[in-house]
Every structure is written in C-alpha cells, then in structure tokens.
Amino acid sequence: MTNLEVFSDLSERLKYNFPDLPLYVRKGNLHQFNNEAAVAHWHIDLEFIYVLEGAMNFSVNGKVTRLNPGEGIFVNSQRLHFGYSLADHSDCVFLVVVIHPSILGEKTSFLQSYWEQKFGHMMTDFMFLTNQIDWQKSLLQSIQEIYWEMYTEHLTPNPFRLVSQALALCAAIGDHLQFVSGQSGVLTHVQEMTSFIHQNYDQKISLEDIATAGAVCRSRCCTLFNQYVGQTPNNYVTQYRLQKSCEMLKETRRSVSEIALACGFQSSSYFSFIFHKQMGVTPQHYRKQVINHTS
C-alpha cells in the first residue's frame, strides 16, 4: 500500500479519505507498485481486501495466500503484510478498506476493550474470504458497498452510513476470529527493523544498522526478512527507496538529482541505473508517463 506515514511508536498510518474520518477506501492495482509488489508494512488499522480482476499473492506474517477474482482477505491489526503479483507479472485490481480503531470515538472504553480483545496479538492473524460461504460473501459485498458509498453513490458520501458499514465489517469478522495460543512475539523485531528503514531511508543504512534496530544479529536479521518480508534487508531498503522516489516524481517538481539524494541513493547516476533496472524506464520517462496519465 501507499500513502503511509510513520507514528512515533513506529507503526504506520494512512492518509485517510477524510482527515477527521479514520477510514481508508480505495481501488488499487499491483502495477502501481515497484515490481508489482507493495512494500511490506503494518499498522494498527484493520484491513480488508477484495479482488476484482486478476489475481495476486498476499503475505501476512510470512504466510502467503493466493487471491483470485471474487475472493478477499482480512488482515488483523499490527500484522506485517503486503500483496504481490503472480509469476507471470499480471496485474490485479482490488478494493481495499482500512479501519482505524479511533472510528469508535472517544470515551468508549467498553467498545475499545472489545476491539483489543478481538483484534489483539493473540487472535487470528488473517482470514481468507470467499463467496462460497454465506457470511463471507456478505462481508465481501459490504466491502463493495463501502466503496460505492465513498465514490459512486453520492457527490458527498454519507458519513453515518460509512461509519455504520465499517463497524458492521468489524463486527462480522470479529465473530469468527479465534484465540491462537503460542503466538510468537518475533514479529516485533521485524516491525522495528522495517520501521527503522522507513524512518532512515534517506540516510546510509548498513545491515548492522538494521539488525541493531531489531535487537538481533545480522544472520538472524536476514533470516527474519526472508521469512516475513520475502526478500533480503538490502533489497527491502532499495525497494522502499524506489517507492519514495516514485512518490516524489509524481508529487513534486524536484530534479532527479535532488530526489536521488533525498531517497538515500549515492548519486543520481546510480539512482537512474537502479530505477531503470527495476522499473523498466528512466526516472524522467516515468515522470512523463505519470503526467500524461493524469492530464
């Protein structure tokens, strides 16, 4: 996913559709990401994905599920996750609904306690959703209805209906989550290491720096990244830097040289080489493509 910022507790937040409504609703596709793969990330929000066209693999805490059209997945709070394309690099179009617990409002200790109980670390990490099971089919339809309400039903969405629909999603999935004994706390180390990269991508980062951030040795660092993120720490750093550079190419008028340095690359020539190798086009060409697409 894109549009991520980092909280002081090293978790991530999204740029919600409305500043005062903690609900993120979008239609996306894998080709918007570098190498048809989103950067592994985590956040306190609950996340629901519904696949419209194509297919993708989706990793949650290192466990991979294939999602085909008409299928989806629920990702519990604070789980490391990302979607990526199949071996044929085909695109995948999907809906995503992300819900922050602050949607419950203030002074709602009873609701918050229930939220913490249902969506805590000791509960199910994720749940595959299919239209072959009635309650899951209804939940997938609700994801579509939230998207329609946000974008197609009215010029201005009805906030009461959006909140009601979002809470209905939480209630429906909460009824089917189970307590899982022996949940490992090792993910905390991975979250600390990825968050360190997100906060320091513009600086020189060594494998030792990443391992230290997670309080593990370098060998353990590499093992955890391969298991939970699906790539080496150094590759993850490069992928995240490329994601940030794409955002800057789209959203700013900064020169390629300025963007290269701002994203932690040694030089503009090295940045252009890596960018072309990974994206198939030069940074300048990528910027032109984005401008032509949006104009």
Side-chain angles (χ1 to χ4, degrees), residues 231-240 278:
Q231 56 186 305
T232 67
N234 288 335
N235 284 346
Y236 183 84
V237 171
T238 299
Q239 184 183 9
Y240 191 75
Q278 297 292 328

Side-chain angles (χ1 to χ4, degrees), residues 48 53 68 87 89 102 140 143 145 174 180 205 212 214 216 227 246 277 283 294:
F48 297 84
E53 301 173 15
N68 294 308
H89 301 289
S102 62
L140 291 170
I143 295 173
E145 289 169 2
V180 181
I205 299 176
T212 299
V216 296
Q227 180 179 353
C246 287
K277 181 179 180 181
T294 56

Side-chain angles (χ1 to χ4, degrees), residues 5-13 199:
E5 297 177 355
V6 182
F7 277 118
S8 59
D9 67 354
L10 302 184
S11 64
E12 294 174 332
R13 64 180 174 185
Q199 290 186 314

Side-chain angles (χ1 to χ4, degrees), residues 32-221:
Q32 73 190 75
F33 301 108
N34 306 330
N35 301 321
E36 295 87 44
V39 173
H41 62 282
W42 65 281
H43 40 65
I44 196 172
D45 313 68
L46 307 180
E47 184 164 332
F48 297 84
I49 298 285
Y50 178 73
V51 173
L52 299 174
E53 301 173 15
M56 68 171 159
N57 293 318
F58 204 93
S59 173
V60 183
N61 284 2
K63 298 178 181 178
V64 178
T65 302
R66 174 165 172 160
L67 304 179
N68 294 308
E71 299 174 342
I73 194 168
F74 159 76
V75 184
N76 209 340
S77 174
Q78 301 185 66
R79 271 61 171 187
L80 193 71
H81 60 279
F82 63 99
Y84 60 98
S85 64
L86 306 181
D88 61 1
H89 301 289
S90 57
D91 200 3
C92 176
V93 181
F94 55 90
L95 301 180
V96 56
V97 175
V98 184
I99 306 167
H100 192 275
S102 62
I103 199 170
L104 299 174
E106 300 178 357
K107 299 180 180 180
T108 54
S109 58
F110 178 73
L111 295 177
Q112 291 169 351
S113 295
Y114 187 77
W115 180 289
E116 292 169 4
Q117 172 190 339
K118 284 294 183 180
F119 307 121
H121 285 293
M122 302 302 291
M123 301 300 287
T124 309
D125 286 334
F126 68 95
M127 185 171 290
F128 172 73
L129 304 172
T130 172
N131 56 22
Q132 301 302 309
I133 300 174
D134 287 343
W135 75 266
Q136 294 184 5
K137 180 179 180 180
S138 177
L139 192 149
L140 291 170
Q141 290 174 342
S142 295
I143 295 173
Q144 297 178 80
E145 289 169 2
I146 291 178
Y147 177 78
W148 293 332
E149 176 65 36
M150 182 70 79
Y151 289 104
T152 63
E153 289 296 306
H154 312 281
L155 293 177
T156 302
N158 184 326
F160 293 126
R161 186 172 293 112
L162 285 171
V163 172
S164 174
Q165 291 170 327
L167 292 179
L169 275 182
C170 298
I173 199 69
D175 287 339
H176 297 275
L177 299 181
Q178 297 179 347
F179 176 82
V180 181
S181 61
Q183 288 274 57
S184 173
V186 70
L187 185 61
T188 300
H189 299 297
V190 182
Q191 292 173 335
E192 289 170 344
M193 290 187 288
T194 56
S195 295
F196 172 80
I197 293 169
H198 297 175
Q199 290 186 314
N200 297 279
Y201 68 91
D202 57 337
Q203 306 294 322
K204 183 177 180 180
I205 299 176
S206 68
L207 178 59
E208 184 70 31
D209 295 331
I210 300 171
T212 299
V216 296
C217 66
R218 289 182 295 179
S219 175
R220 181 63 171 162
C221 170

Side-chain angles (χ1 to χ4, degrees), residues 248-256 258-259 287:
M248 292 184 190
L249 288 167
K250 292 177 185 177
E251 300 169 6
T252 76
R253 295 184 178 181
R254 301 173 73 174
S255 69
V256 171
E258 289 175 325
I259 291 174
R287 173 174 269 168

